[in-house]
Amino acid sequence: MSPLPEAELVRSSVQLYRYLLRCCRRLPAGPVRQHYRHAIRQSFKVHADEDDPVRIQQIIKRAIEDADWVMNK
């Protein structure tokens, strides 16, 4: 089960970014939320030059799985 029901609709990097930030809103306010928001921003900066569609889909899948893990932690 994904952290939010919209996970299966994520197809692009912009949709993933918005989805992950919405997940962050469900975390407790404070340092934990700030940490994950910062990590999301940094990850998008690192992968900004990615142009292989297969690799982009792999990154999206992994990010959703990681968000699921964090939300269930």
Side-chain angles (χ1 to χ4, degrees):
M1 184 174 129
S2 297
L4 293 176
E6 301 91 30
E8 61 274 355
L9 302 176
V10 174
R11 298 282 183 251
S12 71
S13 56
V14 173
Q15 290 173 334
L16 176 64
Y17 188 75
R18 294 180 69 212
Y19 171 79
L20 293 174
L21 290 179
R22 281 194 303 272
C23 286
C24 278
R25 288 188 211 140
R26 297 176 65 196
L27 294 172
V32 172
R33 186 184 295 177
Q34 290 174 351
H35 167 77
Y36 284 108
R37 286 178 59 92
H38 178 74
I40 291 167
R41 288 187 185 114
Q42 290 303 108
S43 182
F44 272 82
K45 289 177 184 178
V46 167
H47 296 291
D49 61 343
E50 189 66 57
D51 59 356
D52 180 16
V54 174
R55 177 70 179 129
I56 292 170
Q57 289 307 311
Q58 290 172 343
I59 293 169
I60 289 172
K61 182 177 183 290
R62 179 61 193 257
I64 291 171
E65 290 171 357
D66 290 349
D68 187 29
W69 181 83
V70 167
M71 298 303 288
N72 289 324
K73 186 168 91 165

